[in-house]
Amino acid sequence: MKRLYIVLIAHIFYFNSFAQTNFWNEVEKNKEKVFTNVSLSGKVIDENTGNILPGASIYFADDRIGTIADANGKYALNNIPAGHHVIEISHAGYSTLVVHIELATNVEKDFALSPVVVENMGVIVTGVASATSIRKSPVAVASIRKTALLQLPSTNIIDALSHIPGISQVSTGPAISKPYIRGLGSNRVVIINEGVRQEGQQWGDEHGVEIDEMSIARAEVVKGPASLMYGSDALAGVINFITNTPVAEGTLKGNIISNYQTNNGLFAINGNLAGNKNGLNWNLYSTYKTAGNYKNKYDGKVLNSGFNEKNVGGYIGFNKSWGYSHLIISRFDQELGLIEGERDDATGKFLLFGGTSLERIATNGDLNSRNLFVPKQRVQHNKIVSDNNFAINKSRLKVNLAWQNNQRQEFGKAEDPKEKELFFDLNTFNYNLQWQLPELKEWHTTFGINGMRQSNRNRGEEALIPEYNLFDIGGFVFAQRSFEKATFSGGLRYDTRTINSMELIESGDVKFEKFSRSFSNFSGSAGVSIEASDAITLKANIARGFRSPTLAELASNGAHEGTNRYEYGEQDLVSEKSLQLDAGLNFNYEHFSIDISAFHNSISDFIFYNKLEAIGGGDSLVFDEGEFIQAFRFAQRNAKLTGFEASIDVHPHPLDWLHFENSFSFVRGRFANAVDGSSNIPLIPAARFTSELKADFKKLNKSIHNFYARLELDNTFLQNNPFTGFDTETATNGYALLNAGFGGDFVQKKKILFSVHVGITNITDVAFQSHQSRLKYTAENMTTGRIGVFNMGRNFSFKINVPLEFSRN
């Protein structure tokens, strides 16, 4: 298998070098025979005043080309493939404008931007075959840019996205967050990075997302089944992280971003440098992040909650008249402690190395240090991507090939802290080929094939899941048709996946049996977005998704240090199938906007884990390495989830700089038949209401531009519908957090010197537990009677962003 992946990696390198040298030089010489290229030029102005907008961005998402308006507000783009394009025009302090345009000849076109900022407008590339505007998408979609991410204090990228209505996180301390979309997560959410689905043992509750938060340029979230484009696992939705975006032609620029947070002493610094000369474009970035133990007013400092990250990545490629070809490389390297929450009965203080011969009470030195103790993890994720998009006679051929290696090591032996108890070595080769046909009577049609080949090997002292080989492939057709006031989108897909699990014999006993399973499924979607007027949009969609069982669900047999569970798989599991109905309504007026999205999701054969009951009653316990661990087994039931998200943003005239934003999200999940007396699905987030008052000033004074100040009330309600079967969950009290922030750009001679962003979370230092925090169920503090570990207390965040621009033609 190792030889196979060496060949695949060599192929990716060869493909890109081939695409970027002799072959494409010949194509460039004969481009008039194959390609029709046009230019677009004009200026960008303020819609109300007519003033020019220097620095406005004009970007073609599908072509990965763009430019910046000059000091006179003028822009020009050459060598654009003829055909249909979606252009995104943006500027700080203005609403993003999305224009669908057909280019057959050279065109001069001016763009006017509205000074009233409307949230969640722009172009998306997630869940669709080609770029389209959010307004034309029939499903609920959210997009967040780097500018907004900088304004949000967070400890990881999923924590930042949890501010979006309908998005929540299952957390294990500040370093580990797993995204949940409308009550579903883990392998039901597909993570995309640079066009490739991230594969990194995401079945584990304490396995976070291997994405460098500080390198993200934009994130897009699709709420609802997206199996049509991504196959198995996109049952709940998709989160797409976009890191590398080419800078304008003739530009060499970069950024240095730093962040310090007071609660756990988090310090992070990121630097990137990007250039573009005659179509040769590249980007390099690197991030270092370190954090100590976080604290709250009930627990004080939480032992072993620190983490460290060292990440690096970038790309190099060509953008020419024939399209683009990019080679992308990244490495994510994280070390983090795993919080056990064990305490001394007499003092209530945290225990270090609990249950071993080295057990002792943690000292102040332990709590104040940045040392990571066992149990702990090290996660390394390496990725190489060949991303290509060729424009041929008004059609497009997209070829995306990738190799990923994920190494997840877990250390749990106090007497031998270097011993790798678990070591998952996962290799994945991803492929995605799409052919976008030329427009035919306003129909935009795409045929595609994508899938992956995957192998997992156990290199630790113990094994939780068997070694296996996996192959899946799916074919789809996606079509979009625009009418005068409506856009229809839909398609069909068929997938098949084969898993071959290997036998493992330990001490003469069979721990894992050899077996093979195959799963095949049809999926599809159909939806419409109706622009009833310039201000009103109606949306409706129906989608069928599916998810094949993971190896952990099929064949687990072992103690999982990160979860304090002994897990048993079930080989007879079948694929989950979902049918989801979505409806949306958007009002977008000059002085207020309203967005409402509702859904109903019926899932057949929903997979979940529950505690095993002993024959004589009570919990089933397994004796493992000197201690008893609770046993869990995977099972299936039919289930339904229903919910909605609603938001309103008021920006009254003449106080257009003032925004009063409110959002509410709710989801209810129930089994068709009760499990041990409980009908509630596990890990469903509580209802949540946020209210934010925000002031935005394009020019506060001569030296400070794009100034903002915000005050937010984040209220999470009581979750009184836990999954109580086998005492798995308990109800969780509600809580209200007061947050604030301010920041802006410091300017000299019309150039930004640096930007400052200050954020404060949990101002009143509330002690709270999220219903989706896995630390809620750690040990009881016998001196206070409180169960579990609480979330982070008051935290101040300070960010500085220094832009660097060295030259421009």
Side-chain angles (χ1 to χ4, degrees), residues 411-634:
F411 306 85
K413 194 171 184 179
E415 295 84 359
D416 186 4
K418 293 185 179 180
E419 179 182 283
K420 301 167 185 174
E421 286 197 337
L422 294 175
F423 184 174
F424 305 102
D425 188 0
L426 182 69
N427 285 285
T428 306
F429 172 70
N430 302 86
Y431 59 94
N432 184 7
L433 294 87
Q434 296 183 22
W435 180 261
Q436 294 180 9
L437 303 181
E439 179 184 328
L440 179 63
K441 296 182 179 180
E442 299 191 49
W443 280 98
H444 299 271
T445 305
T446 299
F447 292 91
I449 297 175
N450 53 31
M452 63 181 174
R453 182 176 179 85
Q454 189 174 84
S455 68
N456 183 73
R457 298 294 179 263
N458 294 316
R459 309 195 186 281
E461 294 298 315
E462 301 177 9
L464 174 62
I465 62 173
E467 296 185 343
Y468 69 88
N469 295 320
L470 177 153
F471 177 77
D472 80 0
I473 185 170
F476 68 89
V477 57
F478 179 89
Q480 185 177 69
R481 170 68 156 88
S482 294
F483 299 89
E484 183 178 355
K485 289 188 173 293
T487 302
F488 167 82
S489 302
L492 293 171
R493 180 186 180 102
Y494 178 76
D495 284 87
T496 183
R497 170 176 290 187
T498 300
I499 301 173
N500 296 308
S501 181
M502 302 179 187
E503 184 182 61
L504 176 64
I505 298 177
E506 282 188 352
S507 303
D509 297 324
V510 177
K511 182 169 185 176
F512 299 119
E513 296 179 353
K514 180 179 180 180
F515 70 90
S516 296
R517 289 290 308 275
S518 294
F519 305 92
S520 298
N521 288 277
F522 282 98
S523 54
S525 71
V528 63
S529 175
I530 301 172
E531 297 174 43
S533 68
D534 291 340
I536 300 175
T537 305
L538 306 171
K539 299 186 177 187
N541 194 76
I542 182 171
R544 186 182 191 274
F546 77 99
R547 182 179 76 89
S548 301
T550 67
L551 250 292
E553 293 163 341
L554 291 168
S556 287
N557 185 5
H560 198 177
E561 188 68 52
T563 61
N564 295 314
R565 297 196 301 256
Y566 196 99
E567 299 176 354
Y568 290 103
E570 178 56 64
Q571 287 189 25
D572 295 331
L573 297 176
V574 298
S575 293
E576 295 178 341
K577 283 86 60 182
S578 74
L579 183 65
Q580 180 161 319
L581 304 175
D582 284 271
L585 178 62
N586 177 263
F587 297 91
N588 183 16
Y589 293 95
E590 184 178 0
H591 302 301
F592 73 93
S593 59
I594 299 174
D595 190 78
I596 302 172
S597 297
F599 67 94
H600 177 77
N601 193 358
S602 296
I603 303 177
S604 301
D605 302 309
F606 180 88
I607 301 173
F608 66 102
Y609 62 78
N610 56 264
K611 292 181 183 178
L612 283 179
E613 186 176 7
I615 296 176
D619 294 339
S620 176
L621 302 176
V622 178
F623 189 74
D624 184 77
E625 294 191 353
E627 63 178 338
F628 286 98
I629 303 176
Q630 288 184 333
F632 290 75
R633 182 182 292 277
F634 291 95

Side-chain angles (χ1 to χ4, degrees), residues 153-463:
S154 60
T155 57
N156 60 70
I157 186 60
I158 302 303
D159 184 35
L161 295 186
S162 66
H163 291 77
I164 299 172
I167 311 301
S168 60
Q169 56 178 322
V170 168
S171 63
T172 312
I176 304 175
S177 294
K178 296 187 71 66
Y180 266 56
I181 300 177
R182 292 175 164 178
L184 298 175
S186 294
N187 274 71
R188 299 179 183 94
V189 174
V190 167
I191 303 295
I192 303 293
N193 185 218
E194 300 303 342
V196 178
R197 61 182 289 162
Q198 191 88 350
E199 289 293 322
Q201 310 286 0
Q202 58 267 33
W203 47 265
D205 285 344
E206 84 297 358
H207 297 170
V209 176
E210 306 90 350
I211 300 291
D212 181 5
E213 173 192 11
M214 301 187 77
S215 70
I216 300 301
R218 188 170 86 249
E220 298 178 356
V221 180
V222 175
K223 305 175 190 178
S227 296
L228 171 61
M229 298 300 297
Y230 302 104
S232 177
D233 302 353
L235 197 77
V238 177
I239 300 177
N240 184 10
F241 296 106
I242 299 166
T243 300
N244 297 292
T245 302
V247 297
E249 171 66 35
T251 298
L252 179 63
K253 62 192 300 185
N255 290 82
I256 297 176
I257 304 172
S258 60
N259 181 209
Y260 176 73
Q261 298 183 20
T262 59
N263 186 285
N264 58 352
L266 181 148
F267 172 75
I269 186 166
N270 168 274
N272 90 286
L273 186 65
N276 191 340
K277 185 69 173 178
N278 296 326
L280 174 63
N281 51 91
W282 53 272
N283 179 45
L284 292 172
Y285 68 84
S286 181
T287 298
Y288 174 74
K289 183 188 290 188
T290 178
N293 295 315
Y294 81 89
K295 60 186 177 182
N296 60 65
K297 72 177 183 181
Y298 281 173
D299 300 310
K301 290 202 170 182
V302 177
L303 181 67
N304 214 28
S305 59
F307 60 94
N308 303 296
E309 278 184 30
K310 299 170 186 170
N311 310 318
V312 65
Y315 85 99
I316 186 169
F318 273 100
N319 286 61
K320 291 290 187 177
S321 56
W322 43 262
Y324 66 81
S325 182
H326 295 164
L327 179 66
I328 306 167
I329 300 177
S330 65
R331 176 177 174 82
F332 177 92
D333 191 347
Q334 183 187 59
E335 293 182 272
L336 60 153
L338 295 173
I339 303 165
E340 291 191 302
E342 294 185 88
R343 303 175 188 268
D344 177 62
D345 289 345
T347 64
K349 293 183 178 180
F350 287 112
L351 286 176
L352 193 59
F353 312 129
T356 73
S357 60
L358 301 178
E359 178 180 300
R360 62 178 175 84
I361 296 175
T363 66
N364 288 334
D366 296 328
L367 295 170
N368 292 325
S369 77
R370 291 178 182 257
N371 294 332
L372 302 178
F373 304 100
V374 294
K376 63 180 181 179
Q377 289 184 354
R378 184 177 184 187
V379 183
Q380 296 168 293
H381 194 95
N382 303 299
K383 183 161 54 182
I384 303 173
V385 183
S386 175
D387 186 25
N388 309 273
N389 188 328
F390 308 127
I392 306 172
N393 292 332
K394 294 188 179 182
S395 65
R396 289 179 182 272
L397 175 64
K398 295 183 179 181
V399 181
N400 187 292
L401 305 173
W403 170 81
Q404 302 177 69
N405 173 245
N406 184 276
Q407 296 186 342
R408 185 175 297 274
Q409 305 169 48
E410 297 189 7
F411 306 85
K413 194 171 184 179
E415 295 84 359
D416 186 4
K418 293 185 179 180
E419 179 182 283
K420 301 167 185 174
E421 286 197 337
L422 294 175
F423 184 174
F424 305 102
D425 188 0
L426 182 69
N427 285 285
T428 306
F429 172 70
N430 302 86
Y431 59 94
N432 184 7
L433 294 87
Q434 296 183 22
W435 180 261
Q436 294 180 9
L437 303 181
E439 179 184 328
L440 179 63
K441 296 182 179 180
E442 299 191 49
W443 280 98
H444 299 271
T445 305
T446 299
F447 292 91
I449 297 175
N450 53 31
M452 63 181 174
R453 182 176 179 85
Q454 189 174 84
S455 68
N456 183 73
R457 298 294 179 263
N458 294 316
R459 309 195 186 281
E461 294 298 315
E462 301 177 9

